[in-house]
Amino acid sequence: MHDELTKIDIEKMKEELEERRLMIPRLREEVKRARELGDLSENDEYRSAKKEFNRNSSRMIYLQNMIDTAIIISTDSKADEVGLFDEVTVCYPPNENDTETVRIVTTLRNDVFSNNISKESPFGKALLGRKVGETVSVKTENGSYEVTVTEIKKGEDDPDLPIGRY
């Protein structure tokens, strides 16, 4: 499966990949230093250093694979429709006062705690392409619920919006 990402997503991944490449000598040296402390079966420093080295390597493989297989998408959308990086205010009928504002983002920038919702999520999929006044059904594993689009604030791909890390 190919992830649909923006040019900025790709650039941010390349930046992180380079940062992680620069970490390799330091991490390798830490593993070597910890190994010299003695018995590896009881050496927590060695296990910790090895774990960090492997974690860095794994993340590098992940980033390179994402870069190699990504499909670059446009962030353009019609002025009156919900598009990528737009802030969308919705209400939950029948209570018109129960509102929420979210930003639709790529999967790499998904952060529900900051109301950055992936375009691939059920909520994001339901909102993309919708107009103010439309009521849509959001289908989830546990059923569905309705939301009404009350406002669209056009946005653009923000290079300061971080990509997800682990």
Side-chain angles (χ1 to χ4, degrees):
M1 183 174 123
H2 300 288
D3 286 286
E4 294 180 338
L5 305 171
T6 66
K7 289 179 183 179
I8 291 177
D9 288 334
I10 300 294
E11 288 306 313
K12 291 180 96 42
M13 286 190 299
K14 287 179 179 179
E15 288 171 12
E16 183 183 344
L17 187 58
E18 185 56 31
E19 288 172 16
R20 289 185 174 277
R21 282 189 179 118
L22 295 174
M23 292 170 57
I24 292 172
R26 180 185 58 80
L27 293 172
R28 189 174 284 139
E29 187 60 35
E30 183 61 23
V31 169
K32 181 181 175 185
R33 185 196 65 74
R35 181 182 292 141
E36 293 170 352
L37 294 176
D39 185 5
L40 297 183
S41 66
E42 296 181 15
N43 187 335
D44 286 335
E45 278 191 64
Y46 173 73
R47 277 195 294 277
S48 179
K50 190 73 171 163
K51 183 178 179 179
E52 186 61 30
F53 181 85
N54 290 338
R55 187 171 184 223
N56 188 61
S57 297
S58 176
R59 179 68 174 176
M60 288 175 59
I61 291 168
Y62 168 79
L63 290 169
Q64 190 63 58
N65 186 49
M66 290 286 286
I67 292 166
D68 291 344
T69 62
I71 296 172
I72 297 178
I73 58 172
S74 170
T75 60
D76 296 335
S77 62
K78 294 181 181 176
D80 63 341
E81 291 182 352
V82 176
L84 204 51
F85 298 104
D86 292 349
E87 287 186 13
V88 185
T89 303
V90 297
C91 70
Y92 296 86
N95 185 355
E96 301 300 319
N97 294 326
D98 186 9
T99 65
E100 179 178 25
T101 301
V102 299
R103 181 180 355 189
I104 308 298
V105 297
T106 59
T107 55
L108 276 182
R109 310 237 197 123
N110 182 52
D111 180 2
V112 293
F113 298 113
S114 300
N115 284 343
N116 292 323
I117 306 298
S118 169
K119 70 182 200 67
E120 300 297 330
S121 71
F123 198 63
K125 284 180 183 179
L127 291 177
L128 275 177
R130 302 302 180 168
K131 297 180 180 184
V132 171
E134 284 190 62
T135 299
V136 298
S137 180
V138 179
K139 293 173 178 39
T140 68
E141 293 176 6
N142 300 325
S144 64
Y145 59 94
E146 290 188 339
V147 296
T148 301
V149 177
T150 59
E151 182 182 5
I152 301 169
K153 187 191 246 181
K154 298 309 280 182
E156 52 187 51
D157 196 352
D158 181 359
D160 294 330
L161 191 63
I163 62 173
R165 294 182 180 236
Y166 65 85

